[in-house]
Amino acid sequence: DTIKAKLYFYRGSAYGYLAYVQGKSGQWLKALDNGMASIGDLEKSVQIDSTLYDAYLGIGVYYYWRSTKLKYMLWLPFVPDMRDEGIAQIKLAVEKGRYSAALGMQQLIYILLDYGRFDEVIPYAQKVIELYPESQFMRWAHAHVYYKRHEYDKAIESYFKLLELIERDPQSNPGHWLFCQARFAEIYFKQENYHLAIRYAEKAISYKSGVPVKEKEKEKLDQARDILNKSSEALKHEKH
């Protein structure tokens, strides 16, 4: 039975990862199909062996997002709200799982931010950076926490550390460099520091990746141009 539970867990985890990738790319129907396949296998695994705590991560993530994004994007009006149950499942995986602590904390960060539980998210943001200081994956989550909390000075500090990691990594996604520059421009504009907003907007606009620009990158370039124009106008008004 233990082997059977693990087989369900491995297959369910594979389905879950596929659903995650599809959800990130906006393929919500496919994400729902594979998410349902994942949850079926993962729930079977914990029915056989309730101490297979790593399985609760996928179950919790699915419960949460099914209650929010999937519910509204696919018009599923009768789906019950299982956000709190989903969060509790993820926390169980983080606390007792063998392999789920890092990914579980990263998922909790984005989920708690989505839920508006901003105070609860800080310990997880700090922990992931303590454990994985060289991880771009974890640094993204850490910086995003302070951005969402409107603690812009802390957000800038964290995004600069992220940028250092990106620039040191020869395999990094060039779009991530663009995202950081655009985020600096956005934050400085919000702080009415128009000179720095212009500096980083211009850096973002100078972006050249050597490959076709993706849709998300186009959005960031458009945002940077908009900030550049608005900041330039704001400085003209200050002079008058």
Side-chain angles (χ1 to χ4, degrees):
D1 279 353
T2 301
I3 293 175
K4 191 174 182 180
K6 286 182 178 179
L7 289 174
Y8 277 127
F9 166 67
Y10 295 141
R11 188 172 70 176
S13 297
Y15 278 128
Y17 181 75
L18 184 57
Y20 170 76
V21 172
Q22 290 166 335
K24 289 282 283 185
S25 63
Q27 301 176 69
W28 295 108
L29 283 172
K30 290 182 179 179
L32 180 62
D33 284 343
N34 284 307
M36 291 176 69
S38 171
I39 202 71
D41 279 347
L42 294 175
E43 286 183 332
K44 285 175 185 174
S45 73
V46 296
Q47 285 168 5
I48 297 169
D49 182 358
S50 62
T51 66
L52 199 57
Y53 295 111
D54 292 296
Y56 292 106
L57 172 58
I59 295 171
V61 169
Y62 178 76
Y63 281 174
Y64 184 86
W65 292 116
R66 186 186 66 174
S67 301
T68 55
K69 289 189 183 295
L70 290 175
K71 179 176 181 176
Y72 296 107
M73 289 187 175
L74 301 179
W75 198 74
L76 302 171
F78 304 111
V79 170
D81 186 346
M82 299 182 70
R83 289 177 295 175
D84 290 321
E85 186 173 345
I87 289 170
Q89 301 267 31
I90 299 168
K91 287 183 175 179
L92 180 62
V94 169
E95 291 165 9
K96 295 190 175 183
R98 295 180 63 188
Y99 313 108
S100 301
L103 182 58
M105 285 190 286
Q106 190 265 357
Q107 287 293 304
L108 272 175
I109 287 170
Y110 288 103
I111 282 173
L112 291 170
L113 288 174
D114 181 78
Y115 205 172
R117 289 160 64 168
F118 294 134
D119 291 338
E120 196 175 336
V121 78
I122 290 293
Y124 294 108
Q126 293 172 339
K127 190 68 174 177
V128 295
I129 291 304
E130 288 171 12
L131 292 173
Y132 309 101
E134 297 298 307
S135 169
Q136 294 178 42
F137 187 63
M138 296 305 182
R139 179 58 69 174
W140 277 113
H142 181 270
H144 191 61
V145 166
Y146 292 106
Y147 170 76
K148 292 293 285 185
R149 286 171 58 90
H150 298 173
E151 295 184 42
Y152 291 133
D153 289 338
K154 290 182 179 179
I156 287 171
E157 181 182 355
S158 192
Y159 279 118
F160 270 119
K161 289 179 180 176
L162 171 61
L163 184 61
E164 289 176 11
L165 294 174
I166 291 169
E167 291 181 335
R168 290 207 314 258
D169 180 6
Q171 303 298 320
S172 67
N173 183 335
H176 293 169
W177 181 91
L178 166 63
F179 185 97
C180 285
Q181 305 299 339
R183 181 53 54 86
F184 293 140
E186 177 191 353
I187 292 174
Y188 284 126
F189 181 78
K190 288 177 185 288
Q191 293 182 320
E192 299 183 1
N193 189 333
Y194 300 121
H195 290 287
L196 285 178
I198 288 171
R199 178 192 299 178
Y200 287 100
E202 287 176 340
K203 281 191 174 187
I205 294 166
S206 74
Y207 168 73
K208 292 182 178 62
S209 67
V211 296
V213 178
K214 298 176 183 176
E215 191 60 37
K216 286 185 178 180
E217 293 167 359
K218 287 179 182 177
E219 291 174 6
K220 287 298 168 188
L221 288 168
D222 288 342
Q223 180 191 33
R225 293 186 187 101
D226 184 54
I227 290 170
L228 177 60
N229 292 333
K230 288 179 177 177
S231 297
S232 299
E233 285 298 315
L235 286 177
K236 286 179 186 177
H237 289 302
E238 282 184 0
K239 290 177 182 178
H240 295 297

